Amino acid sequence: MNDNDLRVLKTKKALSQTLSRMLEKQELSTITVNSICENAMVHRTTFYKHFYDKYDLLVYVLREQFQGYFSLDIKQRINHPFQSAFSIVFIDLQSILDKQEKDEAFSKTIADYFLAEFQRDIESNIDKLTLSEDFPPDLLTYIYAANIGAILHWARNTDKPYDWAHLDKLFTAVLPVKINI
């Protein structure tokens, strides 16, 4: 199947936009492939030509949403993960994140997506990073992702509002690894 075919692009766009709209109104765990297809006016067999399941579609939505973030210079993303595009991306996703806050399936899917993307990102840019000799580079992915997740979770659950620049300062302060680029 040609991913650049106009019909394929239209189908994926219809399915991803439909899922995004549905995620603003109901938790992922309650959404079915049938309901996505019905709302997108796409036949179920067509859905399965493009996606394995609703989680695969969610990863597609995330990949589309975050492609701009991961195309930014790694120095910007490492040193300022929140300011460098999260503010732009998360503003678009805020209503979805609010609705999905307690949905474990959504949280697991998004965490797995980011862990895989951070790992791919760090592996492809490892030549640009300088870590201490005794630090395993593959551990950086987990530390990076965990710290971003922890700070986001904390910021969402604290009474005091914080801006993206302040979250970046907190990230730099708690990152146990100093990265030179």
Side-chain angles (χ1 to χ4, degrees):
M1 184 175 313
N2 182 357
D3 283 341
N4 293 324
D5 182 293
L6 187 57
R7 291 170 297 172
V8 171
L9 294 171
K10 284 182 176 183
T11 299
K12 286 184 172 185
K13 183 177 182 178
L15 290 167
S16 62
Q17 288 178 339
T18 298
L19 178 61
S20 294
R21 283 191 304 272
M22 293 176 80
L23 289 170
E24 291 177 345
K25 298 175 183 150
Q26 63 188 101
E27 291 182 348
L28 179 64
S29 58
T30 67
I31 297 172
T32 64
V33 170
N34 282 342
S35 64
I36 296 168
C37 292
E38 185 178 296
N39 284 291
M41 296 190 306
V42 172
H43 197 277
R44 185 179 163 98
T45 56
T46 303
F47 177 94
Y48 287 113
K49 287 180 183 177
H50 302 287
F51 301 103
Y52 181 72
D53 57 18
K54 67 182 179 182
Y55 305 103
D56 191 28
L57 175 57
L58 176 56
V59 168
Y60 177 82
V61 169
L62 294 171
R63 195 172 290 123
E64 289 293 305
Q65 193 74 28
F66 284 92
Q67 67 182 327
Y69 173 76
F70 285 106
S71 67
L72 291 172
D73 180 62
I74 190 157
K75 183 176 183 179
Q76 181 70 10
R77 287 181 282 122
I78 290 280
N79 293 326
H80 306 285
F82 296 100
Q83 291 180 84
S84 63
F86 271 66
S87 60
I88 295 165
V89 173
F90 278 108
I91 286 171
D92 292 343
L93 292 176
Q94 193 62 53
S95 60
I96 291 173
L97 295 172
D98 290 344
K99 184 64 182 180
Q100 302 304 316
E101 188 173 26
K102 292 181 173 87
D103 190 291
E104 289 181 27
F106 180 87
S107 297
K108 181 179 179 347
T109 303
I110 200 169
D112 290 348
Y113 164 77
F114 278 112
L115 189 59
E117 287 300 313
F118 288 145
Q119 186 170 16
R120 187 175 10 266
D121 191 33
I122 289 171
E123 285 173 359
S124 66
N125 289 289
I126 198 69
D127 59 322
K128 298 175 186 169
L129 306 176
T130 305
L131 304 171
S132 63
E133 286 182 28
D134 59 340
F135 191 86
D138 57 333
L139 180 57
L140 180 58
T141 299
Y142 295 97
I143 291 172
Y144 188 79
N147 282 315
I148 286 177
I151 291 169
L152 279 174
H153 183 76
W154 170 80
R156 288 177 63 90
N157 290 299
T158 188
D159 292 336
K160 188 174 178 184
Y162 288 99
D163 64 17
W164 299 108
H166 188 257
L167 296 182
D168 280 335
K169 286 180 186 176
L170 293 173
F171 176 79
T172 303
V174 299
L175 192 65
V177 179
K178 297 304 170 209
I179 305 166
N180 298 317
I181 300 177

